[in-house]
Each structure stands twice: as structure tokens, then as C-alpha cells.
């Protein structure tokens, strides 16, 4: 691959002002329900001094429509950028080497020559990945002042973690300033405080290093003094501490570059799959809180070790972490008794966890590293949602937007550009494959996409399945469940009350599908996949009448939630300009199916977008910018939490929401 | 003993204003050099509910002239008082039961009837102990709003340690405030912060105690939440962390009452007797710092256990400690490398040690108890001196006052009521008995007082000795050394250059003492005590020519210090209105002898007062009043530290000060 072509220099004047710049042109577009796209990145880099280094290969899987730039960023692959995706900085040059046609925008046309365009050069922030692509990423050329994170959010780099290299005058009888004053007067734009642990090292390090040292600062706390100039090594880790999955991203906060990303299952899994079972564990066994805390610490430690190993970073150079988790995960990681979160009236110990040391949560990084935990709006609208609101700019956008994090507990945020409301809806385990007969997690063998053709003839398939890992289907994950019900409603094999139509009607309505209607015992089922042509129904992957009921209750809980929030603000469905589906499940949900079953308001699917792992993105933003972090804390004041279980009209609204909208 | 007589009620209006009230009438008067007085207290008290309790016997030994009230207070014996010793509150009623005449002041006359006065009733703050006394102390009747500490300092009680009992509304779906908000909104006059450890307990304690809890607060940090009402138990410990001796005073900060006082040798002694040898230990052995830190922690822990045991207080109810120590003791207790304190240019890590937990210095009291360390003005004017300045009101008095803490390192503070200067003079170990041939610490057998009568005849003694413990003399402590030299100068057996006069002259000048002049080898000595009539000189307790030289150098270092400070402010000796001799050594020094050898300015001895253990008193003030503590911190800005070793005129001044003033 050639070096990236030279283009006109970009002036960063227009992003130098503080704050955020919306990047509407590159918001993820809704995908069409056909699954995922694979992006094969070849990442080029230079060693210190400019020598070439063998390129690294990285393959990532994302929902269709995500920009190549975001797909790279979310997966820890750094691409030059200073403008935050307006297409103005013309820095995020990439080369598409797949043999596919990629649209040429006016920005591409200004940036590249005709022959470069023919060679596949494009601006990464303007390429929407709608199919599998091979992407060449040139070496980084700039040291950015801003980074793009979240959903098109441009963050001016102002990390809480700073390093300052200073060369101090040595003490003399005429200058007996204390070591601390000597240092802090050299860094006089900050009001530094030093704790005992720094003072224990300070005099020794100063003298061993001939008074040439690097101050390590988090916010205004001097957490260490290192000999010589170590300003090049300043790292932090953003954690998305999910009930099921935990994701860690190692960031170079000096550049905003994600150095490595990895994820693993939360080691608390053996205590139960959801927050309620884990809270129950602490209520039944006095040792369980300590063991859950340990498990959280182990998980975070393991991820820390992995991202540091992958990026070749010494864990002692990681000085801060940010953790976005729901209220229960946050309490358990901190060793705070979660019981009041689990029983009415659902009260937190504190909305804003105190500032703690990373060692308090079991991390073996720099011994005085700090841990920032996102605050929570309520027992069931936690720090993960606050982080997600930060990443999606819920408090900065003038549009009417609905944010839904679909899961066992579903968090809902509605903003009309002025007022922000939030609530939580107990959707139950259906979306995570729980309580569904053939349900499973979104892992290899899970059906995640379903298309039904009721009138298919000849070789045309009546049932088209998208299966994770492209293997023999073994079960049905959340997005597959929603697709299955939505398609069955669409072809009218399910009526609006959620009941399978009689077999006679089925033959008439959907002749190509009628042979899939069966019974297991007394219960009616729809066969999605037969492992062998003569397999018995209970040997197949199927959707049962009871499964449909489970989904109905789950979606009714959610739609009751946002319906009541809309009502609070006096809004109709059509007033919602954007629906953000968040979380690992929400991002993979088919917007069309979500509309079909009424999980989201009745809107054009183009208004419904997958937002990705916004909790993790928010955690990154908090590490890269103290202003963004302050914004997250300000959300506690700005957002009104609405408790649904307290409302007399909840049950009526719930019953209204149970039925499926007629197709 | 009868109950204390009733008198007219005292209005505290005149002490209710914030701040301090001087109590000039009860400042310690100078003693006459005849040693100590013993006060035998019989302390009466009532149990809860009013039942009588057998009285406690306590004997204390103080310099003559101290008031009975102060003598009691410094030794942890509580006497009622609200006015702080103006003689106006008429609460500090005591009964002197010794068969001695005690002057009746006009305040006594107003307070007691004729027959009560005859029975020995007096106001304790007005009785100066000039001889041994038996004192009856009635039960406490008031819960004071102020306490008398330091040198006549009246401190309005406003301790950093507070307890607040609250009964909170239980949470409900309509009131989902977090546990922390629920608590802090009930204590809305403070901006409380809670750390992780409180949050870990908060929800459990609130619910177990039916939301009736006591908040434990230090400054504005919520350090614990205790079930029920525990406001009656709030204790703190004031430590005077001396290089040689460490004193601990357990205080009830709700009343200002000292509950118990005890002292012990600093367990760092095996590393060396003074700060320099201890600093050297850390420079030669990398493990020594840790061991010195442990030794400091052990000493403070031992004192803690003793005072708690003596007062019957659970150490878990001790929530704060204050530590006044010199810069080296402070650094070692905190585990901070003291090396830069010990070598030029004598630099501290930090003037104000950070706020730490008591557990950081090894104390096993409440796990989140705080430890306040006094700040230092310089490497050799440490936190003990700042505490002493607080206790003596050096920054609040308009008089010109000189504060001298005599010891191996001698700290000197001069204030003219506007400007405050401080310095340190390296006096060497003479005052602690070091480098003196028959030198010893002020322990049993040490000669502490000496009177010479050069013309004694018949049975009149030519040499009168005051010996600690009234036992056979074994050696000479610092005050005895000063007395010995002062008396020898006075009787002219030492000339003004500090040389013993020839034997021939001695016979003429002091016939009764001439037989005490002897030689050990080539060195001339003066025999102070012969164990047997025919003992050889080296079997006696004596003062050698070299001892005199040691004292000369020590006193010259000190007088050079205050001379240069006087010069800085353009003052003469006679301008000094008061000299405060501080520290365990200074308090026992004979003012007359100190004047005689030129250790203090040439002033009437009435202007020279023993100030007692002012470091410990300052530590108590810091625990009883946040305003006083702020005052101590403000001294860092208000006091100018003068480095003597940097001055070109130091050597000339030193030589000038070597000679003894002619008698």
C-alpha cells in the first residue's frame, strides 16, 4: 500500500472551541436486517524514527451502515482525524481494496485525485459499511487535539490524567522551599494536592533524578512523581461493566487513540444471569457480596492484563480507569451492599460513587491510579445509561430523541431538546434468550436474523435464517426472537393478540410455511429449523406459543415505558425524530422488526439507529475530557427519573401495549 | 468533702463570641528555682443518675507557680470552668485541705462565705501552687461550651469531630432519595462527603437501626454511621510526639475534658537520642525508615491503649488524633524519607503534611479516624513549635514576646505583636545531659537544682542540691547543669570566659567551696557530690572544664539565635516583655540561672515564665476547635523563618555570645 496521498492542510480552528460538534452526516444509518458486515483492516504503522513496521491484520464485525471510521474506532484501530467526522479535516484517509463500488462524496472528490479514487482511497468517516470490506489504514501522521468517540461525538482532548515534565532548580540555603512547593510552583496552572504516598517518594525521586521529573496528575491530585521525562506514557482504561459481558478499552489519553479493546464474560455469571439473581445471592449468603466483588475485580483485572499485553503497555503506566455499569454492577464492584436496589422502594446508597483508587476495585495498575465510576439516575437507570447518554449527546441535541437500552432491565431516556426523562422497564430475560424454549445467547449457532416468505415457490426458501458463525442453527437469540415474531405477525400466522392462527387458516394465509406449524404436547410451535427432514418438532429449533407470550410481555413493558414518557412530555410517536437502540442487544436488533412488534414507536425505519456499545464509548469520553465527565455528572441534575411502578396508570397502559399492531 | 458552695450564676455571654480571651491574671508565674511542687488531688464524681462514686486520688508534680487549675488540666483532671480563668465564672471551685495559708482574691471573696474560705474553698484558676497542696475537686456540674488549654487560652468548643443523631424518614416509592442524600439532607448545615468505606456500611446500618443513626463527622467528612444515638462517645487523642518523650492526652471533645494523660519514651530511642542520629540511621540502612516508622506507630499505639484503658474508653470511639512533633519526628511517623532534613540545605518534603488516616500511622482506633499533623515552618522549626505558638498565643498577643524551646535543637520565636520571626539554633546535646561527663537525663538521681554559698560556715551547707526522686545524686541533668554553671559564675569560681579560676584565687573567693575544686587527669573539675568523704574525684558527681565549654557553646548558639532575631526587628533585650521557656526541659530551668549564663536576655526574672508542655496543649486546642486549627495553619503564612546558617554575621555574633556576663 502506498502512503496516504497528500491533501490541502486542514485548519483545526473550527474545532478548537470547547465542546462538541455534531456530525450528522456520519451517524450510523439503519441497517436492513441482513445481519453483519465484516471489515478486514490492514493497519500500517511506523516505529519511532520512522522505520516501517509490518502491518497488523484485524478483522471486526459490525452492524451494516456503521462508518469505517467508527468501526475502527470502536475496535481500537486508530485512524487519523482532527475534525470529528465533518469530512472537513480530510485526515481519515483509508484505502478500500475490496473489489466493490464505494460512493464518492464531494469531500472525497476534493481530497483525492481521480486515480487515487480509482485506487479505492476514501475518507473513512464517510464510508458506510454496507457489505464486507477490506480496508488499508495508513500510519498515523498527526498528534490529535481531539478524538472522535461515541455517536459522532468530537471530544477536545482534555483528560483528567496529565503528565508534566519539569526541570526544577535544586534547593539551596537561599531557597529552602519544600520539595512539594518547588514542584507545584513549577506547575502553577493547577492547584495540586499531594497525598501521603507521593510525599513518601517525592524527596527521593527528586534527588535521584537531579530534580528532572514528570508529575503524574489526575484531576488536581498529584498521584506520582517519576524520574525523567515519561510524558509519552499515559494510559487509561475505559470499562463497560455489563451484567453479562465486560469490555475494556486501553486508551492513550495523550492522543485519544484506543490501543487495544477486549471483552469477556463477567465472572459473576455463576451467581446468576441478571442483577436480581445476583442481589438475591447477597441476601441469602453473607459471603456472597465479597465473592461477587472479587469476581468483578477479577474480570476487570483480566481485561486489564489482556489489553496491556496486546498493546505492549506496562500496567504501571495506566493511571486511571473509568467504569460504566448499572447500579448493581457498580455497587458489587465497589463492595457496597446491593440489597436496597433489589427490593422496593429500590434505593441506591449514593447516586455518585465516591472517587476511589483502582486498587480499591482490585486492579493491579499504578498503585495510586484513580477509578471513576459513572453516577446513576436511579436504581435501574445506572451509570451505563448515563455513559450512553453522554456518548449519544442526549443532553446536547435539540431533536426529540428516544434512547432505549434493550435488555433484561430496559432503560429508556426521552429528550425533547429541553426536558430529559428517564425510566426503567423490567423486560425480563426474553431478549437474552432466557425463558425462551430454544433461546440462547448471541453466540455461534444462534439464529439472529429471520425472513419469512409465505408464498415461496420452487427453490425459493420460505424461511431464510442468518446464523451467527454461519454454522448449523442451535437456537434463537434475542434479535432472532424479535425477527421471528415480527415476521410471523407480518405474514399473519400470529394474530394481533399474539396467538397462532388455526392450522386451517395457516394453510390459506401462508401455504409455504404451513408445514412448519406443529405441536409439542398441547403447545403450538413454529419450526424455524429442522436438523433432519424427519426430525420430531422437539428436536428442532422452534418458536412456541409461550415464547411469543414472553416476548409480548417484554415488549409491552418497554413500550409502556416510553409511551408514558411521551405522555409526560405531551408527545406523539411521530414527534420522535430519532430512536437510538443501545447496548449489545439493541445494536443488533432489526429496526423493521422492532417497529413491527411495537418495541419502538411506529416510525420510518430510517429514524431508528443502532448506537453500538455506548456505555463503553461514554467511559472513553470521560477519560479523554474532564468537560465531558462534568457533563455526565451534570446529567444527575438535568434528568428526571420517573418511577413507573408507582404509577396508578401503569397497568392500563401495559395491557394496551400487549397487542401487536396490525400489519 | 461537702458539695461545692452555690454562688451567683455566671453568664457566659462574655465568652460566647468566637475566638480567644487572654487570661493575663493566671499566667504561670516564674518559680524561684527550688524545684517542684506536688499537688495531691482527690477527684469526686457522680455516676450517671447522680449516685456517688468513690473519689479518685491523683498526684501530680509541677513547676511552682502554676495555677491549680492548669496543673489539673495539664494532667487530665477536669475542673468546672466556663470563663477560661478570668475569675469571672466562679465555677472552678476547689477546696485546699492542706494546713497552709492560701491568699484570698477579691473573686474568692465574692464567691465564698467567710466560713467556706476558712474551710479552704478557693477558685482553682487563682491559686498559684507555690508549695505542696492537697486539693479536693468537686464533681463536674456543667457541660462546658469552652475549655481552658494552653497558656491561659480559652477555646470555644468547635471540634472538627462532630456527632449528629438523626431520625430519618424511611424510603418509599414516592421518596427514592439515595441513602446518602437522605442522611446529608438531614444535616444540611454541613457539606458532607462520604468515602467508599462509609457507603459500604451505610445502607445496612440505616436499615438495621430503623433509620435512627448517629453520623460521625470529622471536618466535613462523614467517616461513619453508627446505629442509634452515640453522641455521648466522642473522643480524640492529642499527641506530643517528642524525640525523647511522647505524651498522649485522651480528650472528650464534647466537653473539652481531658480523660487521661500518659507519657512514655519514644520507642525510636535505640536508633539514637536526637533527630540527627535517627536521620543518619535511615541514610545508612535502607530498612531503618520502615523500622523507625514502626517504632513511632508502636509508641503512639501503646499510649493510645493506655489512655483508653485508664479512662475506660473503647478505642473504636476515638475518631481523631492530632500530632505535634518536630519535622523529623513527623516525617518518620508518616514514613517520609527524612534525609533532606538532615543535610544542607535542610529542606522538607512538605510544610503541611497531608490529611491521613490514623491507621496510616499504625493506630488501631476507629478504622476511618483521621490524623492531623501540625505543619512546620522549617526543617528545624517543626509542628511542635507551631503547636506551642498556638498554645501560647504567639500570634494573638500584642506584647513583644520571645519563645524558646530549649533542647538539642533549640527553636526560637520572636514576636513584636506585628511581625513574627522564627529560627533554629543547634544547641547540641548538653541540655539533655549528653556530652557532659556526669550528664544524665532528668530522671531519678539527677541533680536538677543547685545553690552555692561561698561563705557558708558551721552547719550551713556550702552546696545545696535538689535531686529528682530525693535519692542519692547520680548525675547532672540539663537544669542542674545550667544552675551549676550559673552559680559558679555568680560566686566567680568561673570567670566570664568560662574558665575555672586558679586554686589560689578559689580559696580566697569562696573559702567554703575551695575544697571542691579538683582535677581528673589534667582537667579541672568542681565536685558537686561526694558519695563518701574520701571518694576520688572520678567517683564523684562533678562538673568539668570541658562540660562548661559544652554549655558555653550551647548557650551561645541559642543566644546568637535570639540576638539576631532581635536585631532583625530592631529591638533591645529590655524591649522583651515576656520570655516563654517551653518544652519539658525549658519548663524546669531556673529563670535566674538562665539569665545568669545569658541563655535568655538580661531581664527581670519575673518576665521569664515556664510554659510547660505547650506542644501537647496546642495539639489539644487543634482537636477542640477548628478555628484554632486554622490558626495553626495560618502561622505558615504569618511567620518568617530565618535561616541562621546562611548568615555571614553568624560567626561574629556567636563569638560575642560565648562569654558569660559578669555578675
Amino acid at each position: 500500500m502506498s502512503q496516504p496521498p497528500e491533501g490541502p492542510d486542514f485548519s483545526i480552528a473550527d474545532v478548537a472551541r470547547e465542546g462538541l460538534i455534531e456530525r450528522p452526516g456520519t451517524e450510523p444509518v439503519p441497517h436492513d436486517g441482513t445481519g453483519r458486515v465484516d471489515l478486514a483492516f490492514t493497519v500500517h504503522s511506523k516505529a519511532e524514527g520512522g522505520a516501517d513496521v509490518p502491518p497488523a491484520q484485524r478483522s471486526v464485525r459490525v452492524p451494516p451502515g456503521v462508518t469505517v471510521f467508527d468501526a475502527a474506532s470502536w475496535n481500537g484501530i486508530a485512524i487519523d482525524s482532527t475534525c470529528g467526522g465533518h469530512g472537513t479535516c480530510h485526515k481519515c484517509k483509508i484505502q478500500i481494496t475490496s473489489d466493490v463500488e464505494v460512493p464518492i462524496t464531494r469531500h472525497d472528490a476534493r481530497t483525492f485525485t481521480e486515480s487515487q479514487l480509482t485506487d479505492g482511497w476514501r475518507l473513512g468517516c464517510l464510508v458506510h459499511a454496507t457489505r464486507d470490506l477490506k480496508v488499508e489504514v495508513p500510519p498515523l501522521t498527526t498528534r490529535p487535539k481531539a478524538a472522535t468517540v461515541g455517536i459522532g461525538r468530537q471530544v477536545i482532548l482534555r483528560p483528567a490524567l496529565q503528565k508534566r515534565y519539569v526541570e526544577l532548580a535544586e534547593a539551596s540555603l537561599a531557597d529552602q522551599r519544600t520539595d512539594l512547593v518547588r514542584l507545584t510552583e513549577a506547575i502553577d496552572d493547577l492547584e495540586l494536592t499531594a497525598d501521603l504516598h507521593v510525599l513518601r517518594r517525592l524527596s527521593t525521586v527528586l534527588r535521584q533524578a537531579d530534580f528532572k521529573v514528570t508529575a503524574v496528575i489526575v484531576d488536581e491530585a498529584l498521584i506520582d512523581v517519576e524520574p525523567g521525562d515519561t510524558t509519552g506514557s499515559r494510559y487509561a482504561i475505559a470499562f463497560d461493566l455489563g451484567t453479562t459481558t465486560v469490555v475494556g478499552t486501553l486508551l492513550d489519553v495523550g492522543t485519544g487513540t484506543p490501543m487495544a479493546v477486549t471483552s469477556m464474560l463477567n465472572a459473576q455469571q455463576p451467581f446468576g444471569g441478571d442483577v436480581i439473581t445476583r442481589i438475591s445471592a447477597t441476601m441469602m449468603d453473607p459471603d456472597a457480596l465479597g465473592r461477587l466483588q472479587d469476581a468483578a475485580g477479577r474480570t476487570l483485572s483480566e481485561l486489564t492484563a489482556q489489553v496491556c499485553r496486546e498493546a505492549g503497555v506496562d500496567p504501571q503506566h495506566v493511571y486511571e480507569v473509568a467504569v460504566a455499569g448499572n447500579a448493581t454492577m457498580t455497587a458489587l464492584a465497589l463492595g457496597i451492599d446491593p440489597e436496597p436496589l433489589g427490593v422496593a422502594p429500590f434505593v441506591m446508597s449514593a447516586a455518585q460513587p465516591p472517587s476511589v483508587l483502582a486498587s480499591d476495585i482490585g486492579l493491579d495498575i499504578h498503585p495510586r491510579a484513580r477509578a471513576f465510576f459513572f453516577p446513576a439516575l436511579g436504581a435501574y437507570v445506572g451509570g451505563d445509561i448515563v455513559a450512553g447518554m453522554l456518548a449519544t449527546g442526549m443532553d446536547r441535541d435539540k431533536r426529540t430523541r428516544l434512547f432505549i437500552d434493550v435488555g433484561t432491565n430496559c432503560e429508556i431516556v426521552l429528550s425533547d431538546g429541553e426536558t430529559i426523562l428517564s425510566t426503567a422497564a423490567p423486560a425480563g430475560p426474553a431478549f437474552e434468550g432466557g425463558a425462551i424454549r430454544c433461546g440462547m445467547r448471541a453466540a455461534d449457532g444462534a439464529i439472529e436474523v429471520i425472513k419469512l416468505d409465505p408464498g415461496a415457490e420452487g427453490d425459493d426458501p420460505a424461511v431464510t435464517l442468518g446464523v451467527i458463525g454461519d454454522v448449523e442453527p442451535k437456537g434463537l437469540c434475542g434479535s432472532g426472537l424479535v425477527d421471528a415474531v415480527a415476521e410471523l405477525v407480518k405474514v399473519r400466522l400470529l394474530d394481533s393478540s399474539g396467538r397462532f392462527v388455526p392450522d386451517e387458516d395457516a394453510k390459506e394465509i401462508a401455504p409455504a410455511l404451513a408445514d412448519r406449524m406443529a405441536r409439542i404436547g398441547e403447545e403450538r410451535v413454529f419450526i424455524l429449523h429442522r436438523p433432519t427432514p424427519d426430525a420430531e418438532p422437539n428436536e428442532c429449533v422452534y418458536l412456541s406459543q409461550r415464547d411469543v407470550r414472553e416476548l409480548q410481555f417484554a415488549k409491552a413493558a418497554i413500550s409502556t415505558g416510553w409511551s408514558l414518557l411521551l405522555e409526560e412530555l405531551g408527545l406523539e410517536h411521530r414527534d420522535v425524530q430519532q430512536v437510538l437502540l443501545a447496548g449489545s442487544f439493541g445494536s443488533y436488533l432489526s429496526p423493521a422488526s422492532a417497529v413491527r412488534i411495537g418495541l419502538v414507536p411506529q416510525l420510518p425505519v430510517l429514524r431508528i439507529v443502532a448506537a453500538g456499545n455506548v456505555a463503553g464509548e461514554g467511559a472513553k469520553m470521560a477519560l479523554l475530557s474532564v468537560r465531558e465527565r462534568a457533563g455526565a455528572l451534570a446529567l444527575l441534575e438535568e434528568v428526571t427519573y420517573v418511577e413507573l411502578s408507582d404509577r396508578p396508570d401503569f397497568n392500563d397502559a401495559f395491557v394496551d401495549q400487549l397487542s401487536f399492531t396490525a400489519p
Side-chain angles (χ1 to χ4, degrees), chain A:
Chain A
M1 164 201 193
S2 58
Q3 285 296 303
E6 289 296 325
D9 245 16
F10 166 71
S11 153
I12 63 154
D14 53 343
V15 295
R17 65 175 179 84
E18 293 292 338
L20 295 168
I21 296 165
E22 282 296 324
R23 196 178 53 152
T26 56
E27 280 184 350
V29 298
H31 62 80
D32 60 2
T34 55
R36 313 281 173 278
V37 294
D38 285 311
L39 300 181
F41 286 96
T42 302
V43 184
H44 298 262
S45 56
K46 296 252 185 215
E48 292 280 324
D52 278 322
V53 168
Q57 306 293 335
R58 282 286 303 280
S59 223
V60 308
R61 199 146 196 260
V62 295
V66 167
T67 71
V68 170
F69 184 86
D70 281 349
S73 172
W74 297 354
N75 288 280
I77 297 164
I79 300 178
D80 271 337
S81 175
T82 53
C83 78
H86 278 71
T88 55
C89 82
H90 299 185
K91 291 240 187 276
C92 59
K93 296 167 181 170
I94 55 164
Q95 191 178 16
I96 307 292
T97 54
S98 314
D99 186 21
V100 297
E101 189 129 336
V102 179
I104 297 171
T105 68
R106 61 191 171 90
H107 292 290
D108 290 313
R110 280 190 216 157
T111 308
F112 301 105
T113 65
E114 195 68 32
S115 79
Q116 286 165 344
L117 292 169
T118 308
D119 286 349
W121 284 99
R122 295 290 185 280
L123 293 175
C125 68
L126 299 175
V127 179
H128 293 279
T130 52
R131 64 185 83 182
D132 295 352
L133 292 176
K134 288 184 188 154
V135 183
E136 302 274 325
V137 179
L140 293 177
T141 59
T142 54
R143 187 180 165 86
K145 295 200 170 47
T148 302
V149 288
I151 301 302
R153 303 299 299 279
Q154 172 74 1
V155 175
I156 305 294
L157 293 176
R158 182 165 293 210
L161 165 59
Q162 301 186 52
K163 280 191 164 187
R164 300 285 186 92
Y165 174 65
V166 290
E167 299 186 355
L168 305 173
E170 291 198 20
S172 69
L173 284 174
D175 172 10
Q176 287 179 315
R177 285 177 301 164
T178 67
D179 288 340
L180 185 60
V181 168
R182 192 171 301 278
L183 179 66
T184 54
E185 286 188 351
I187 305 173
D188 62 359
D189 57 323
L190 297 175
E191 293 276 339
L192 291 183
T193 59
D195 69 15
L196 179 58
H197 299 80
V198 172
L199 286 182
R200 283 179 177 162
R201 284 170 51 80
L202 181 60
S203 68
T204 310
V205 172
L206 279 182
R207 284 160 186 80
Q208 282 175 356
D210 290 331
F211 288 82
K212 297 178 177 65
V213 296
T214 300
V216 186
I217 299 158
V218 176
D219 286 318
E220 295 203 313
L222 177 69
I223 69 164
D224 203 357
V225 179
E226 296 173 338
D229 184 351
T230 66
T231 50
S233 297
R234 43 174 175 152
Y235 302 100
I237 302 178
F239 288 111
D240 167 20
L241 177 56
T243 309
T244 305
T245 305
V246 186
V247 185
T249 305
L250 179 70
L251 286 175
D252 178 339
V253 301
T255 62
T257 309
M259 309 293 290
V261 183
T262 190
S263 67
M264 62 183 281
L265 284 180
N266 190 326
Q268 293 175 340
Q269 289 286 347
F271 291 85
D274 54 44
V275 299
I276 293 299
T277 51
R278 294 192 202 160
I279 294 171
S280 302
T282 69
M283 293 162 69
M284 289 182 297
D285 174 2
D287 293 337
L289 173 56
R291 285 158 61 209
L292 281 157
Q293 185 186 354
D294 287 349
R298 275 203 316 281
T299 307
L300 298 174
S301 293
E302 177 70 20
L303 289 173
T304 298
Q306 281 187 31
V307 290
C308 287
R309 198 162 48 231
E310 191 180 316
V313 164
D314 181 349
Q316 295 301 307
H317 292 153
V318 179
Y319 304 96
E320 197 183 25
V321 303
V323 183
N326 62 46
T328 303
M329 288 306 106
T330 298
L332 292 177
L334 291 169
I336 295 173
D337 181 5
E339 181 175 338
L341 299 171
V343 294
F346 315 114
V347 166
M348 293 185 284
S349 288
Q352 171 62 62
S355 172
V356 298
L357 295 177
S359 61
D360 287 330
I361 55 169
L363 293 185
D364 186 14
I365 51 176
H366 186 279
R368 305 303 292 171
R370 301 304 204 255
F372 168 77
F373 278 79
F374 274 85
L377 297 167
Y380 288 94
V381 179
D384 51 345
I385 302 308
V386 172
M389 292 172 69
L390 188 68
T392 54
M394 282 300 285
D395 57 335
R396 311 251 183 150
D397 198 307
K398 290 293 150 198
R399 290 175 293 175
T400 294
R401 296 163 94 204
L402 181 62
F403 172 107
I404 305 177
D405 190 321
V406 185
T408 304
N409 173 60
C410 175
E411 297 94 344
I412 305 166
V413 182
L414 175 67
S415 169
D416 65 0
E418 293 288 334
T419 306
I420 313 178
L421 301 180
S422 74
T423 193
F431 294 119
E432 292 179 357
I436 301 299
R437 302 286 286 270
C438 295
M440 67 178 285
R441 291 201 187 287
D444 278 0
I447 301 170
E448 55 174 350
V449 179
I450 296 167
K451 290 265 176 220
L452 301 182
D453 181 352
E457 288 179 12
D459 285 348
D460 289 344
V463 177
T464 308
L465 302 178
V467 181
I468 297 176
D470 292 326
V471 296
E472 166 98 14
K474 289 189 288 195
L476 194 61
C477 71
S479 60
L481 172 68
V482 172
D483 260 15
V485 173
E487 288 286 299
L488 287 166
V489 168
K490 181 177 166 192
V491 303
R492 292 196 280 188
L493 287 178
L494 283 174
D495 65 20
S496 66
S497 78
R499 197 165 36 192
F500 280 114
V501 298
D503 286 342
E504 317 80 75
D505 296 355
K507 286 200 179 90
E508 192 173 316
I509 294 168
L513 296 168
D515 68 324
R516 302 227 169 202
M517 301 293 289
R519 281 178 195 268
I520 295 180
E522 289 301 301
E523 194 182 10
R524 303 191 67 194
V525 301
F526 181 84
I527 307 290
L528 291 164
H529 172 70
R530 282 196 180 91
T532 57
D534 53 357
E536 290 296 315
N538 62 6
E539 295 166 345
C540 299
V541 180
Y542 58 87
L543 179 79
S544 76
Q545 180 67 62
R546 212 182 303 154
D547 296 340
V548 177
R549 294 298 181 210
E550 290 285 345
L551 181 68
Q552 257 180 301
F553 275 78
K555 84 97 186 176
I558 294 170
S559 54
T560 303
W562 52 253
S563 295
L564 291 175
L565 293 190
L566 285 173
E567 198 179 301
E568 286 276 325
L569 293 184
L571 298 173
E572 305 281 337
H573 284 212
R574 65 171 179 274
D575 296 326
V576 178
Q577 293 166 275
Q578 186 176 55
V579 177
L580 293 155
L581 289 174
S584 55
F585 173 70
S587 299
Y588 294 122
L589 203 57
S590 153
S593 294
V595 171
R596 175 80 61 201
I597 68 163
L599 189 62
V600 298
Q602 300 296 320
L603 294 169
V605 291
L606 281 172
R607 291 200 200 166
I608 297 160
V609 298
N613 171 14
V614 288
E617 290 299 301
K620 283 156 68 177
M621 290 172 73
L623 290 172
L624 295 180
S625 166
V626 290
R627 302 204 167 237
E628 294 299 337
R629 191 180 302 191
L633 299 178
L635 285 171
L636 288 195
E637 302 299 322
E638 293 165 16
V639 180
T640 305
Y641 178 69
V642 179
E643 176 63 46
L644 293 185
S645 56
D646 195 27
R647 289 178 66 115
D649 55 350
F650 180 82
N651 285 343
D652 285 348
F654 183 83
V655 170
D656 285 349
Q657 296 292 341
L658 273 175
S659 69
F660 296 117
T661 311

